[in-house]
Amino acid sequence: MRAFSYERVDSPAAAVAAVKGTPGARFIAGGTNLLDLMKLEVETPTHLVDVNGLGLDRIEANEDGGLRIGALVRNTDLASDARIRRDYGVLSRALLAGASGQLRNKATTAGNLLQRTRCPYFYDTDQPCNKRVPGSGCSALEGYSRQHAIMGTSDACIATHPSDMAVAMRVLDATVETVQPDGSGRRIPIADFHVLPGDTPQVETTLRQGELITAVTLPPPVGGAHVYRKVRDRASYAFALVSVAAIVRRDGSGRLALGGIAHKPWRVEAAEAELPRGAAATAARLLEGARTTSHNAFKVPLAERTIAAALIDAGVEA
């Protein structure tokens, strides 16, 4: 690990000022992803700004009936909150499907959204990776790509986003609140927060340099059965090959978002009109234009079957 400097701050304004005024500075909270990347020299920040003292660790009710989740709320606390379990069950289930108990005790709401891909070529500094070194090439395109994306890919990158929580946030239509370097606030719909790789796979979100996430807000609860279904290579502590976050009503209508298949949580609202017709029709619309490799083509039928299983879990015909 390369040498770096470190400071603690006590307000969001101080945090953004510290990062804005120091080239190579990064925010750190739980550090469950950033520290691993620093050890491998994938990330090499020169200065870490510790934001754990900002008091952003509360879950509060909004006037509209929704919830405001502080950026520093730990994943364990969020998953176990009675209001989340009662009204946003898909979120609680997604969190419990991710990582291990020890990691959930440290990982934060904001950090979970900002996780970087687990593509092995991204982690291997001896391999070309456009996400790590823009313009160097994508080793996964001609390499082993079983875990990789089939939707929204480009010739520059086929990496997937690893978060389970983000998939649930997408189906819930959450909003990300931030403080910008000039001190002003911003609200970013979760649909616009993560971006597809295009020609700039190193750009993973619409956050600006030095912008700090302060909270994630959830709208009022959505009725229906809340389901999170995750398919992975082993029963725990593994990233999704395909995951489905679903909110389904008794008539079969509802919402659907997928993980493990794209550079961002994958939701196509137009495909949700097909839910009453079943998993096959929904998957066909949701996965239109899928771009597969010989290693990951299985994700197309796997996604259909996982959607079907989620619908069955929700108590409707698949």
Side-chain angles (χ1 to χ4, degrees):
M1 185 181 290
R2 298 187 186 184
F4 59 90
S5 54
Y6 169 88
E7 72 172 301
R8 294 177 180 172
V9 291
D10 58 8
S11 71
V16 295
V19 169
K20 179 181 179 181
T22 309
R26 292 286 304 277
F27 301 119
I28 187 167
T32 57
N33 189 202
L34 179 59
L35 291 177
D36 283 344
L37 294 172
M38 289 173 64
K39 291 172 185 176
L40 295 170
E41 296 194 356
V42 174
E43 295 262 14
T44 55
T46 59
H47 185 65
L48 294 184
V49 178
D50 189 331
V51 296
N52 282 294
L54 302 189
L56 304 175
D57 56 355
R58 292 183 290 275
I59 304 172
E60 301 169 313
N62 283 335
E63 292 182 358
D64 66 358
L67 290 177
R68 186 175 188 272
I69 303 163
L72 297 175
V73 172
R74 268 31 187 190
N75 288 176
T76 295
D77 296 331
L78 183 57
S80 62
D81 185 89
R83 294 162 294 182
I84 297 294
R85 295 178 64 185
R86 182 187 66 233
D87 297 328
Y88 305 95
V90 65
L91 178 55
S92 181
R93 292 180 174 94
L95 285 161
L96 293 173
S100 65
Q102 294 93 330
L103 286 172
R104 290 195 297 270
N105 288 341
K106 291 292 292 181
T108 63
T109 299
N112 197 309
L113 290 176
L114 296 173
Q115 287 183 81
R116 307 206 69 188
T117 185
R118 265 48 178 198
C119 172
Y121 301 105
F122 171 71
Y123 272 74
D124 185 349
T125 55
D126 290 329
Q127 299 291 328
C129 172
N130 288 319
K131 185 179 287 293
R132 180 170 24 82
V133 182
S136 63
C138 176
S139 297
L141 284 171
E142 300 298 329
Y144 185 64
S145 53
R146 181 172 179 272
Q147 297 276 353
H148 288 74
I150 60 173
M151 301 303 300
T153 61
S154 72
D155 290 336
C157 183
I158 58 172
T160 58
H161 193 275
S163 173
D164 292 289
M165 186 197 79
V167 182
M169 292 289 194
R170 179 67 181 90
V171 86
L172 290 168
D173 284 330
T175 299
V176 181
E177 296 183 359
T178 72
V179 172
Q180 300 183 90
D182 64 3
S184 62
R186 190 158 72 113
R187 293 173 55 85
I188 309 169
I190 192 72
D192 301 328
F193 183 75
H194 297 102
V195 298
L196 294 176
D199 295 327
T200 56
Q202 74 278 12
V203 179
E204 298 169 344
T205 73
T206 53
L207 288 178
R208 295 158 184 157
Q209 175 62 34
E211 191 170 6
L212 174 71
I213 297 175
T214 55
V216 176
T217 58
L218 300 178
V222 177
H226 286 224
V227 175
Y228 190 75
R229 187 92 177 188
K230 181 177 181 179
V231 180
R232 45 190 162 180
D233 283 326
R234 57 181 185 267
S236 66
Y237 197 45
F239 297 100
L241 292 169
V242 170
S243 65
V244 173
I247 303 174
V248 185
R249 304 177 189 91
R250 289 187 177 183
D251 63 0
S253 64
R255 302 178 180 182
L256 195 72
L258 269 63
I261 66 166
H263 201 252
K264 60 186 290 186
W266 191 252
R267 184 179 175 194
V268 179
E269 281 87 343
E272 295 168 358
E274 305 291 340
L275 275 169
R277 296 178 56 201
T282 305
R285 187 71 181 273
L286 190 68
L287 303 177
E288 282 180 343
R291 178 183 177 184
T292 64
T293 70
S294 59
H295 299 130
N296 67 15
F298 73 94
K299 287 193 175 188
V300 173
L302 180 61
E304 179 183 333
R305 294 168 188 165
T306 308
I307 292 169
L311 293 177
I312 292 170
D313 288 345
V316 301
E317 292 288 336

